[in-house]
Amino acid sequence: MSEQTQFDDRPWLDPEAEPFIQVSGVTKRFGTFTAVDNVDLQIYQGELFCMLGGSGCGKTTLLRMLAGFDNPTSGSIYIDGADMTDVPPYERPVNMMFQSYALFPHMTVEQNVAYGLKRDGVDKQEILQRVEEMLKMVELSQFAKRKPHQLSGGQRQRVALARALVKRPKALLLDEPLGALDKRLRAQTQYELMNIQDQLGVTFVVVTHDQEEAMILSTRIAVMDAGKFAQIGTPTEIYESPETRFVANFIGSANMFEGRITEDSADHVVVRSSDPACEFYIDHGVSIKEGSKVWVAVRPEKIRVSVSAPENAAANQLSGTVRDVGYLGNTSTYRVQVADGQIVEVTHPNQSRPRGGKHAVDWDDVVHLSWEPSSAVVLTE
Ligand code: ATP
């Protein structure tokens, strides 16, 4: 495999690649309040990059600074190699799609899509052709003559997308693009968004507070907390190798055990916790001092639950009593109380049907929990 191919779909790993968006030391203050706190970020051409975080963490503020609607208090933003200081929104090579789609209610779908091109004085024939192409791409050709109120939420969302893309921006900034859609439509539209982005090769920067959406859509996710990035990585990296307790708890859920390092080598660590009494064997090193306080994080679906004790497992096992069972059909969630009273959450696929209405593991059962050395991560903060 040539070097180029190797980095094709992961340009952030390519030391030679120039970022399309380069944010350096950007801070935004509103009075004495710091909404975005000295962040650095590189986004590459063709990425579908999600900024994910709870309400008020600063993601919209950062997006607005990329679009040019707000200026950084300090720091710099380069887009496509050019310094964006003093460049107004309409002269930036990016377009922004707002949380509320803000379609013109009195215009038809095609008039809405054509609006920006018309305002820019694009030739009439070219407008017709570009609008037609774009409506075909978002599968709305048959609705060209309808007004926004005659469309479903998902269709309106696609009109807004067509309107933003018809101007052929090099990057599209999307603030909660699927926020107005119900769960089913949202799932379907996520895939449409990915297809369109893939076909056009436009860089998408998406702001969302929905972790599932970020996991499905993104090439990479930046998890934001209080104006800073807690971690930037691929969905797999963020989920499987969270770097902090905040990230581990923000994406999915994680059982957290506090303990101290008793053994640390290049390929494994041993952590001992006293409450609950347990030895954790983890198959990656952390290179911090023995005796240091750490947290061992184990995802609920990585824990096995059984009524009989697992054979020859010295480490990575706990026992407790099932306090709650959440039956979801395809999976069940068990909340197991272990020795010190801590509740450990376990999720299991339901591979066989319950016999005579009785589940294999039920309320008040005493159960054994165990997991593989590769299933846990050690966190230092
Ligand atoms: P949400 O998901 O709720 O939209 P967000 O992460 O997008 O949240 P921002 O809109 O970026 O959050 O706001 C970050 C913080 O900055 C918030 O505490 C907000 O109150 C504050 N803020 C945003 N705009 C202003 C402003 N113009 N003046 C003062 N404070 C502001």
Side-chain angles (χ1 to χ4, degrees):
M1 193 188 275
S2 77
E3 276 244 306
Q4 194 49 45
T5 326
Q6 182 193 339
F7 293 127
D8 261 1
D9 56 355
R10 288 173 303 165
W12 54 91
L13 295 179
D14 182 354
E16 309 275 295
E18 286 288 327
F20 181 69
I21 296 175
Q22 169 92 45
V23 172
S24 310
V26 163
T27 293
K28 177 69 185 176
R29 283 194 200 94
F30 295 108
T32 53
F33 178 75
T34 306
V36 173
D37 191 1
N38 192 21
V39 301
D40 295 316
L41 175 66
Q42 291 91 31
I43 299 176
Y44 294 84
Q45 186 84 57
E47 272 205 80
L48 207 165
F49 191 95
C50 275
M51 294 198 278
L52 175 69
S55 184
C57 72
K59 47 197 192 305
T60 301
T61 303
L62 184 53
L63 200 73
R64 288 175 58 83
M65 287 192 281
L66 297 180
F69 296 116
D70 273 329
N71 288 319
T73 309
S74 58
S76 69
I77 296 174
Y78 277 72
I79 302 181
D80 205 10
D83 186 352
M84 289 293 119
T85 314
D86 303 328
V87 178
Y90 53 89
E91 282 179 14
R92 297 192 178 203
V94 299
N95 213 343
M96 179 139 166
M97 197 180 111
F98 289 96
Q99 218 157 1
S100 54
Y101 309 139
L103 300 177
F104 299 116
H106 58 287
M107 290 187 189
T108 63
V109 167
E110 61 185 1
Q111 286 165 343
N112 262 287
V113 177
Y115 179 79
L117 297 178
K118 228 171 161 174
R119 207 183 46 184
D120 288 352
V122 177
D123 170 74
K124 219 171 179 178
Q125 203 51 42
E126 189 181 337
I127 295 182
L128 276 177
Q129 187 205 330
R130 274 165 71 173
V131 169
E132 195 184 318
E133 261 173 35
M134 200 44 74
L135 289 181
K136 203 163 147 201
M137 170 162 284
V138 296
E139 297 179 13
L140 286 176
S141 304
Q142 71 273 39
F143 301 123
K145 304 284 179 218
R146 286 204 194 170
K147 300 264 177 69
H149 75 271
Q150 297 167 313
L151 300 174
S152 73
Q155 289 159 348
R156 276 201 292 271
Q157 192 271 343
R158 283 177 358 231
V159 178
L161 193 61
R163 194 175 60 172
L165 288 170
V166 79
K167 292 184 75 179
R168 298 183 182 155
K170 289 194 176 163
L172 186 60
L173 312 175
L174 304 104
D175 190 1
E176 301 279 359
L178 310 178
L181 308 183
D182 67 38
K183 201 170 159 43
R184 194 184 52 80
L185 202 53
R186 181 179 266 248
Q188 181 192 330
T189 315
Q190 277 163 2
Y191 290 105
E192 285 167 1
L193 203 62
M194 285 160 79
N195 276 338
I196 292 168
Q197 192 265 350
D198 192 45
Q199 279 179 52
L200 295 178
V202 177
T203 308
F204 275 23
V205 184
V206 178
V207 154
T208 180
H209 65 271
D210 183 330
Q211 46 150 302
E212 202 176 300
E213 188 167 300
M215 293 292 285
I216 292 173
L217 288 178
S218 319
T219 48
R220 286 187 303 154
I221 299 173
V223 181
M224 259 188 116
D225 179 30
K228 287 182 182 290
F229 294 129
Q231 189 172 347
I232 300 176
T234 63
T236 314
E237 284 163 356
I238 298 272
Y239 189 80
E240 300 292 347
S241 312
E243 287 169 2
T244 63
R245 285 178 292 155
F246 174 82
V247 175
N249 279 318
F250 191 78
I251 310 270
S253 54
N255 296 293
M256 220 56 86
F257 303 98
E258 190 178 315
R260 295 205 178 262
I261 302 250
T262 55
E263 204 179 313
D264 181 19
S265 70
D267 65 350
H268 75 271
V269 280
V270 178
V271 174
R272 181 170 283 283
S273 79
S274 44
D275 275 333
C278 182
E279 185 163 80
F280 300 88
Y281 184 98
I282 302 109
D283 72 351
H284 67 83
V286 285
S287 25
I288 57 162
K289 269 209 327 265
E290 275 182 25
S292 304
K293 183 161 111 176
V294 293
W295 291 267
V296 176
V298 195
R299 298 276 186 206
E301 74 280 9
K302 303 222 191 300
I303 300 178
R304 286 184 297 264
V305 55
S306 60
V307 177
S308 51
E311 282 171 27
N312 57 33
N316 303 338
Q317 68 158 314
L318 285 165
S319 53
T321 308
V322 177
R323 293 297 178 212
D324 281 306
V325 181
Y327 175 69
L328 297 171
N330 57 343
T331 58
S332 288
T333 299
Y334 304 103
R335 288 165 50 79
V336 178
Q337 188 172 25
V338 294
D340 69 330
Q342 183 175 345
I343 296 286
V344 178
E345 203 175 288
V346 183
T347 317
H348 245 232
N350 289 320
Q351 285 167 329
S352 50
R353 299 176 66 210
R355 284 168 183 261
K358 171 101 178 86
H359 294 272
V361 173
D362 227 327
W363 293 75
D364 296 331
D365 282 350
V366 172
V367 290
H368 299 270
L369 309 177
S370 58
W371 57 93
E372 296 299 316
S374 58
S375 295
V377 283
V378 178
L379 305 172
T380 55
E381 55 177 298

